[in-house]
């Protein structure tokens, strides 16, 4: 396959890869041949150890993201970072002039990418990025503070004073904007659902009281019966939960959910709670001495999880305490401080991932791993020039590693699969210099996002089971892809896992396009990519004025969430692996549409015939509103 042409892309191509609330990838346009020496080249022997790299400047403050999903809107007209600039040709990955995706000029596949701290990039050639799912842009109650993933790479890049000052600057800027994680909201009705009495035992329960184990937990009084007037074929509201935690002034992120048997659990502020999957009754609650500051994406197979808790309640507290929790019972297990790997090991922000019986702890230039069952340390930083700094878990423990180089603006990263028990690499893939490991979209098959900070570019690659380059995604011209990657406010750490809005089977990767708002209502497409070639296999448009988001695979089909809009409830739908028209699996009831559409940021899951809409942040201007925030809404047939 020929290399992409070395020419200036047309104006208004793929645009800047905008990291919507949770991070939206938009890969390069033209896929290089797998035989290209710069991509297929086997991992190189790491360069000899060099003195510590000189520090770089402080992180950039991420600007506010897009408002929530709701009424149709007009795209913003305010320009971004200035007038369009002529993109210049970039040098190839090993110093030569090359037009390929690892050395191409900006444009359809060299567009502006989000920076290392997750800030949203300007639109194509300096234009303002398109707003998200809501209009007008305003500060909603429950909206999280601005944030994004950590820098990802490598050893400490700044002197202590610079790093601390930069961190302080980012923290101070956190209150000056609004961004939304999934953009599943948009209900612009200022009125909140008000809890009123109901004696109907079939009505969904709202924030029930604790079931002490005898099944007597009776729940809070329910609101209007959300199942009233339910039409044939519509699902019913199994239960609805409202916030019952008194939160600090700025609210709190909500971590999870995690499933263990018939319990669904979440963590928020200074506690972890477990609820019955069937009826939402609270099974247990575990109070913690300080804020929850880090969580993995999945627990162990037997329902154990390890979370990060701050080592104090002051602003100077670090995220340095690990606490194991049994999600089946809510019992606290072992607790210990993370082992610090020297003076430059900052623990203010960490990332956690669980694979098997191992929890890996990543942060800039450092890592540790512990056994989930008993807390024993399994491994720490490896010897050598390359150190893991972030992980994704699940069926494989995938690590992003950074190698010390003589040029901090031209980093060398690696992707590794580690043995969870020993930390030893089973294989290593080294992308060309300058490309940093950003996200793991899927572990089986392995699909990874890479970013180039200097060139403001990114790409998505698939790797084989042995860590060889399998393909690089090459969407059609004009396709703008998007995924939700759980962006969070991080200064030093990074979390590779947790992306939603994508799905994969053995040979195909599924991802949605950004919303098209050029018509009377928003809509988008789902694109399937052949993982052996990187080329698109098919496109499936969403129904008119609807938006689709991939959730995973279900019985060989692609599982998707069809988002609600201001006058229509959402639904869980499927697409066959060959494409076609979406088929409804679970139609949410119209009577719950206002509540469903009122989430300011949400994660959507489908499990055992139930769909879960889960709030990812709770915040309000006063205590009364805070306790009216809907935190979980569950549908079933």
């Amino acid at each position: 396959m020929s290399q992409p042409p070395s020419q200036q892309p047309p104006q208004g191509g793929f645009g800047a890869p905008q990291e919507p609330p949770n991070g939206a990838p938009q890969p390069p346009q033209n896929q290089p041949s797998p035989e290209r020496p710069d991509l297929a080249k086997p991992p190189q022997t790491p360069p000899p150890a060099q003195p510590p790299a000189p520090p770089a400047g402080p992180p950039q403050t991420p600007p506010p993201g897009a408002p929530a999903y709701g009424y149709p809107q007009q795209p913003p007209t305010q320009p971004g970072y200035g007038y369009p600039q002529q993109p210049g040709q970039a040098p190839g990955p090993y110093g030569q002039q090359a037009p390929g995706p690892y050395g191409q000029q900006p444009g359809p596949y060299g567009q502006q990418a989000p920076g290392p701290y997750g800030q949203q990039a300007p639109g194509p050639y300096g234009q303002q990025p398109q707003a998200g799912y809501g209009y007008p842009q305003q500060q909603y109650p429950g909206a999280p503070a601005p944030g994004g993933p950590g820098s990802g790479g490598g050893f400490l890049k700044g002197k202590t004073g610079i790093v601390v000052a930069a961190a302080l600057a980012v923290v101070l800027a956190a209150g000056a904007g609004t961004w939304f994680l999934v953009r599943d909201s948009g209900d612009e009705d200022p009125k909140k659902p008000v809890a009123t009495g109901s004696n109907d035992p079939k009505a969904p329960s709202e924030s029930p009281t604790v079931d002490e184990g005898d099944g007597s937990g009776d729940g809070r009084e329910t609101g209007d019966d959300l199942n009233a007037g339910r039409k044939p074929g519509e699902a019913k509201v199994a239960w609805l939960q409202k916030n019952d935690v008194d939160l600090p002034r700025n609210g709190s992120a909500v971590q999870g959910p995690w499933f263990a048997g018939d319990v669904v659990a979440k963590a928020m502020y200074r506690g972890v709670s477990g609820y019955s999957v069937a009826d939402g009754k609270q099974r247990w609650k575990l109070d913690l001495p300080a804020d929850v500051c880090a969580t993995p994406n999945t627990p162990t197979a037997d329902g154990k999880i390890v979370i990060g808790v701050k080592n104090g309640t002051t602003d100077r507290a670090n995220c340095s305490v690990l606490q194991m929790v049994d999600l089946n019972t809510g019992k606290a297990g072992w607790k210990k401080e993370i082992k610090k790997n020297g003076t430059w090991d900052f623990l203010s922000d960490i990332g956690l991932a669980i694979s098997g019986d191992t929890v890996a702890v990543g942060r800039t230039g450092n890592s540790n791993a512990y056994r989930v069952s008993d807390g024993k340390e399994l491994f720490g930083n490896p010897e050598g020039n390359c150190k893991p700094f972030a992980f994704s878990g699940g069926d494989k423990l995938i690590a992003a590693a950074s190698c010390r180089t003589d040029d901090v603006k031209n980093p060398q990263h690696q992707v590794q699969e580690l043995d969870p028990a020993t930390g030893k690499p089973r294989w290593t893939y080294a992308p060309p210099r300058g490309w940093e490991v950003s996200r793991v979209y899927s572990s089986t098959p392995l699909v990874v996002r890479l970013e180039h900070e200097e060139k403001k570019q990114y790409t998505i690659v698939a790797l084989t089971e042995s860590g060889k380059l399998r393909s690089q995604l090459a969407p059609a011209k004009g396709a703008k892809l998007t995924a939700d990657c759980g962006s969070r406010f991080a200064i030093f750490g990074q979390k590779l896992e947790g992306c939603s809005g994508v799905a994969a089977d053995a040979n195909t990767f599924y991802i949605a396009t950004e919303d098209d708002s050029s018509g009377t209502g928003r809509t988008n497409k789902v694109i399937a990519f052949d993982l052996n070639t990187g080329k698109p296999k098919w496109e499936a448009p969403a129904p008119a004025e609807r938006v689709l988001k991939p959730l995973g695979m279900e019985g060989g089909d692609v599982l998707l969430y069809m988002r609600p809009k201001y006058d229509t409830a959402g639904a869980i739908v499927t697409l066959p692996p060959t494409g076609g028209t979406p088929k409804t699996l679970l139609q949410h009831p119209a009577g719950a549409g206002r509540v469903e559409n009122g989430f300011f940021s949400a994660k959507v899951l489908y499990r055992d015939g139930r769909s879960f809409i889960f709030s990812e942040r709770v915040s309000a201007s006063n205590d009364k509103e805070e306790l009216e925030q809907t935190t979980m809404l569950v549908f079933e047939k």
Side-chain angles (χ1 to χ4, degrees):
M1 182 175 178
S2 62
Q3 295 183 3
S6 177
Q7 61 185 19
Q8 180 181 344
Q11 189 80 356
F14 283 86
Q18 302 175 21
E19 228 19 84
N22 286 340
Q26 295 167 27
Q29 172 182 357
N30 297 301
Q31 179 213 349
S33 167
E35 289 77 29
R36 276 186 54 185
D38 59 338
L39 293 180
K41 195 170 184 177
Q44 302 295 311
T45 303
Q50 300 288 339
Q60 299 296 314
T61 303
Y69 172 62
Y71 292 85
Q73 67 176 33
Q74 296 296 325
T77 58
Q78 181 182 358
Y81 289 87
Y83 292 98
Q85 301 178 13
Q86 292 292 333
Q89 186 177 19
Y94 298 105
Q96 74 275 22
Q97 293 288 333
Y102 288 100
Q104 77 227 39
Q105 53 197 14
Y109 283 120
Q111 64 272 37
Q112 295 285 334
Y117 291 86
Q119 66 268 30
Q120 193 171 22
Y125 307 108
Q127 299 169 3
Q128 182 77 5
Q130 178 179 346
Y133 282 74
Y135 179 81
Q137 299 186 33
Q138 61 187 31
Q139 181 76 32
Y140 287 100
S151 66
F155 301 90
L156 184 64
K157 295 183 179 180
K159 295 180 180 179
T160 304
I162 296 177
V163 171
V164 173
L168 179 59
V170 176
V171 170
L172 291 176
T178 302
W179 57 263
F180 296 85
L181 296 174
V182 175
R183 308 188 298 187
D184 281 334
S185 64
D187 185 355
E188 302 208 13
D189 183 351
K191 295 181 290 185
K192 305 287 183 182
V194 178
T196 58
S198 173
N199 295 319
D200 182 357
K202 296 181 181 179
S205 58
E206 303 178 359
S207 289
T209 54
V210 175
D211 183 345
E212 297 293 346
D214 58 2
S216 61
D218 58 357
R220 185 185 295 177
E221 287 185 331
T222 61
D224 297 335
D225 186 356
L226 299 178
N227 290 317
R230 188 160 55 99
K231 299 175 183 178
E234 288 186 338
K236 67 180 180 181
V237 177
W239 49 275
L240 177 150
Q241 184 194 43
K242 292 185 178 180
N243 174 48
D244 59 359
V245 179
D246 186 15
L247 298 172
R249 179 179 179 182
N250 293 327
S252 174
V254 187
Q255 307 290 343
W258 307 288
F259 293 89
D262 61 350
V263 171
V264 56
K266 67 178 184 180
M268 182 172 67
Y269 188 39
R270 297 177 181 176
V272 188
S273 302
Y275 306 86
S276 167
V277 169
D279 58 19
K281 291 182 178 179
Q282 192 176 79
R283 295 284 189 85
W284 51 262
K285 182 177 181 182
L286 175 65
D287 292 323
L288 299 168
D291 296 6
V292 176
C293 52
T295 60
N297 200 46
T298 55
T300 62
D302 61 350
K304 306 294 195 307
I305 199 167
V306 177
I307 61 176
V309 181
K310 289 190 176 182
N311 63 355
T313 57
T314 69
D315 293 340
R316 302 181 67 179
N318 285 329
C319 189
S320 61
V321 177
L322 298 181
Q323 174 67 70
M324 191 269 272
V325 181
D326 186 336
L327 298 178
N328 298 284
T329 64
K331 302 294 184 183
W334 56 268
K335 175 181 177 181
K336 67 190 321 176
E337 287 266 351
I338 299 170
K339 182 180 177 181
K340 196 171 182 179
N341 297 327
T343 303
W344 299 107
D345 186 359
F346 293 98
L347 294 171
S348 63
D349 192 83
I350 64 173
L352 300 176
I354 288 178
S355 181
D357 195 26
T358 297
V359 57
V361 186
R363 61 268 188 203
T364 301
N366 285 279
S367 62
N368 304 79
Y370 301 86
R371 196 152 54 205
V372 175
S373 54
D374 61 11
K376 178 183 177 182
E377 185 176 17
L378 297 174
F379 55 89
N381 269 354
E383 297 294 331
N385 193 52
C386 302
K387 313 280 188 186
F389 63 87
F391 301 91
S392 74
D395 55 349
K396 296 177 182 176
L397 183 58
I398 303 297
S402 180
C403 305
R404 183 179 285 114
T405 69
D406 57 357
D407 183 359
V408 295
K409 294 185 177 181
N410 190 25
Q412 176 65 67
H413 273 205
Q414 296 178 345
V415 181
Q416 301 175 338
E417 181 185 353
L418 304 184
D419 182 331
T422 66
K424 295 186 180 300
R426 291 173 174 166
W427 52 257
T428 297
Y429 168 73
R433 285 282 298 271
W435 289 90
E436 300 179 276
V437 183
S438 171
R439 295 288 185 180
V440 172
Y441 288 147
S442 168
S443 58
T444 306
L446 185 55
V447 182
V448 178
R449 172 182 167 120
L450 305 173
E451 294 183 6
H452 198 298
E453 179 183 354
E454 288 296 304
K455 298 177 182 178
K456 305 304 179 187
Q457 301 170 2
Y458 79 93
T459 186
I460 300 174
V461 298
L463 303 179
T464 67
E465 288 292 312
S466 58
K468 305 296 184 183
L469 181 69
R470 183 178 180 184
S471 68
Q472 182 178 3
L473 300 196
K477 180 180 178 181
K480 298 179 181 180
L481 309 183
T482 181
D484 303 320
C485 288
S487 297
R488 63 195 184 90
F489 189 39
I491 298 174
F492 298 107
Q494 182 170 351
K495 186 175 181 180
L496 295 183
E497 65 180 12
C499 291
S500 63
V502 295
D505 57 27
N507 294 302
T508 311
F509 179 70
Y510 309 91
I511 189 169
T513 64
E514 289 183 358
D515 298 358
D516 179 359
S517 59
S518 60
T520 57
R522 290 183 176 276
T523 189
N524 72 340
K525 299 177 181 178
V526 174
I527 303 180
F529 290 90
D530 188 327
L531 288 177
N532 294 314
T533 66
K535 296 179 179 179
K537 297 171 71 173
W538 50 259
E539 295 183 356
E545 301 185 3
R546 303 304 297 271
V547 174
L548 293 174
K549 170 187 171 182
L551 299 178
M553 304 300 296
E554 179 76 12
D557 292 335
V558 189
L559 187 72
L560 307 107
Y561 179 49
M562 187 157 63
R563 289 177 168 134
K565 58 178 185 175
Y566 61 93
D567 61 352
T568 309
I572 304 296
V573 301
T574 60
L575 276 171
T578 53
T581 302
K583 179 182 178 181
T584 300
L585 183 63
L586 194 68
Q587 175 62 55
H588 297 166
R594 184 168 66 99
V595 179
E596 179 182 4
N597 198 36
F599 281 83
F600 301 115
S601 61
K603 180 183 291 183
V604 181
L605 302 171
Y606 181 81
R607 183 184 176 95
D608 298 331
R610 295 184 179 93
S611 58
F612 297 78
I613 302 178
F614 173 82
S615 177
E616 292 191 302
R617 189 168 185 89
V618 175
S619 180
S621 59
N622 57 62
D623 289 344
K624 182 178 179 181
E625 283 191 3
E626 184 175 86
L627 295 177
E628 287 297 325
Q629 294 283 316
T630 301
T631 57
M632 200 178 302
L633 180 62
V634 182
F635 300 97
E636 65 183 10
K637 289 185 177 179

